[in-house]
Amino acid sequence: MKTLNRSIVLTVLALSSFMAMPPAQAVETKSIPHQKQVAGFYQHQLGNVQITALLDGTNYLSPALFKGIPAAKVTQILKKYYADQAKGVQTSVNAFLVNTGSSLVLVDSGSSSCNGPNFGSVIKNLKAAGYKPEQVDTILLTHLHPDHVCGISDKGVASFPNATVYVADAEANYWLNPKQAAKLPQDKQSRFKQTVEKIQQAVQPYQATKHFKTFKLGDKIKGFDVISTAGHTPGHSSFGFKSGNEEIVFIGDIVHSHSIQFDQPETAIDFDVDPKKAVQTRLAQFARLAKNGQTVAAPHLPFPGIGHIYSADAKHYQWIPVHFKD
Ligand SMILES: [Zn+2]
């Protein structure tokens, strides 16, 4: 009797535990932890030159930052590109390390800690690619916005102790001239001063050792040609480099979106110092790059930001990214 009772109890227990088991479906929908990507660097060979794209980070831009385009058109383009409408327009910050064989040149440097926790990975990714910051001998800056210049230093100390930093004279005169803020409309002065503070902190260690230099149009630095692409900022520059019969152009911020500003290239962005001129520059450069087919390296196009610009009608453009190559 005792045994029978015991077996009944066990059966009831077994049944109840079976009944209590969650259905198989519930197990399957348990969330899978988000996995980090591998280190953000990508090697691209151009003739005898090795270009390493370095990811600084990614974030989302509000669609409201794009100017001169109806909101409905923005929504339509983002839908076409399968962009997450709720989050906004994804942007990447990339820098480029160019090993010319005789020089190691960094084009732009990322944000360091200037733009929050999503950014600041350039040095980590440079090391992951097998280089050391001390090996960089030249830094070319397309302009002095914090997402391009802040990465050269960390808390007032040069991150590339053996490098000379180059920027256009018009760019240095605009951001580093103490009289400039007073020339701006009152409502723009405080944002300008905040930006200048970050720029000054980044360049100071290089100025102190006389490793901060300016260039002008027509100068050649370590084999790089200077191309004037002013508009986004007053001294904004792009850099061309040739190897054999191939050419790459480091375009800087002539474009901030592979979707909206390629589909509608006359769209400005809130960060443009001179939006009208920035649009003219983009139209002229897009036409030139689409016609001649140079390889393009861009800081704000999806990582690695290397590819080509195509146009069927010279009005709308398309970004053709490089294909992954081993
Ligand atoms: Zn930028």
Side-chain angles (χ1 to χ4, degrees):
M1 191 68 182
K2 258 187 183 174
T3 315
L4 180 67
N5 275 349
R6 190 178 152 79
S7 75
I8 290 169
V9 168
L10 282 175
T11 310
V12 169
L13 273 175
L15 271 175
S16 61
S17 67
F18 177 74
M19 306 267 290
M21 263 179 69
Q25 203 182 358
V27 175
E28 280 170 17
T29 54
K30 208 171 144 192
S31 70
I32 297 166
H34 178 80
Q35 295 206 339
K36 289 284 286 176
Q37 302 287 2
V38 292
F41 70 88
Y42 181 80
Q43 313 278 10
H44 181 82
Q45 196 75 23
L46 184 106
N48 292 322
V49 168
Q50 187 193 54
I51 294 134
T52 309
L54 303 169
L55 180 69
D56 193 48
T58 61
N59 207 351
Y60 291 89
L61 298 173
S62 162
L65 289 169
F66 291 92
K67 305 289 179 192
I69 182 169
K73 186 76 186 165
V74 169
T75 306
Q76 186 201 334
I77 297 169
L78 292 182
K79 200 172 170 195
K80 176 176 135 187
Y81 280 87
Y82 286 87
D84 187 332
Q85 300 274 350
K87 284 185 174 171
V89 185
Q90 191 183 317
T91 190
S92 179
V93 174
N94 315 316
F96 300 94
L97 190 66
V98 186
N99 188 346
T100 68
S102 56
S103 235
L104 195 57
V105 180
L106 183 65
V107 183
D108 289 329
S109 68
S111 311
S112 188
S113 56
C114 282
N115 285 332
N118 283 1
F119 299 104
S121 297
V122 160
I123 291 194
K124 186 184 84 185
N125 288 324
L126 178 143
K127 288 178 181 167
Y131 289 102
K132 293 186 184 123
E134 307 85 69
Q135 294 174 309
V136 175
D137 56 73
T138 305
I139 299 173
L140 301 180
L141 298 175
T142 56
H143 63 301
L144 287 176
H145 272 158
D147 53 321
H148 300 258
V149 66
C150 280
I152 65 173
S153 301
D154 184 27
K155 298 182 189 74
V157 178
S159 297
F160 301 92
N162 300 315
T164 301
V165 175
Y166 294 86
V167 72
D169 50 3
E171 188 71 5
N173 289 342
Y174 179 74
W175 296 103
L176 302 174
N177 175 356
K179 291 179 185 157
Q180 182 58 38
K183 293 182 193 168
L184 298 174
Q186 200 76 32
D187 61 322
K188 294 207 166 156
Q189 290 191 7
S190 118
R191 183 173 158 186
F192 180 83
K193 283 177 187 166
Q194 282 171 13
T195 306
V196 167
E197 233 171 77
K198 292 176 182 176
I199 298 169
Q200 278 174 334
Q201 205 185 26
V203 301
Q204 193 281 328
Y206 297 88
Q207 286 175 319
T209 55
K210 301 208 176 339
H211 284 86
F212 181 79
K213 295 190 175 170
T214 58
F215 58 76
K216 51 189 186 320
L217 203 59
D219 286 355
K220 207 171 180 122
I221 310 145
K222 304 274 180 176
F224 287 75
D225 293 311
V226 175
I227 304 157
S228 173
T229 43
H232 177 61
T233 59
H236 188 281
S237 306
S238 303
F239 304 105
F241 193 92
K242 290 191 185 92
S243 181
N245 53 6
E246 293 187 75
E247 185 180 1
I248 186 163
V249 183
F250 298 87
I251 60 172
D253 282 11
I254 67 163
V255 65
H256 288 78
S257 157
H258 73 291
S259 52
I260 297 165
Q261 288 181 314
F262 271 81
D263 196 295
Q264 302 291 317
E266 54 293 305
T267 307
I269 194 163
D270 187 59
F271 317 128
D272 291 335
V273 173
D274 183 342
K276 209 174 151 194
K277 199 168 178 186
V279 168
Q280 285 167 357
T281 295
R282 178 167 42 261
L283 293 174
Q285 292 300 319
F286 271 21
R288 183 177 85 91
L289 296 163
K291 182 168 172 264
N292 300 335
Q294 297 96 325
T295 301
V296 167
H300 298 312
L301 297 182
F303 182 77
I306 300 174
H308 291 87
I309 293 176
Y310 170 80
S311 181
D313 58 6
K315 282 186 189 143
H316 306 282
Y317 291 84
Q318 209 182 326
W319 175 240
I320 315 288
V322 284
H323 294 181
F324 185 94
K325 276 194 206 116
D326 260 337

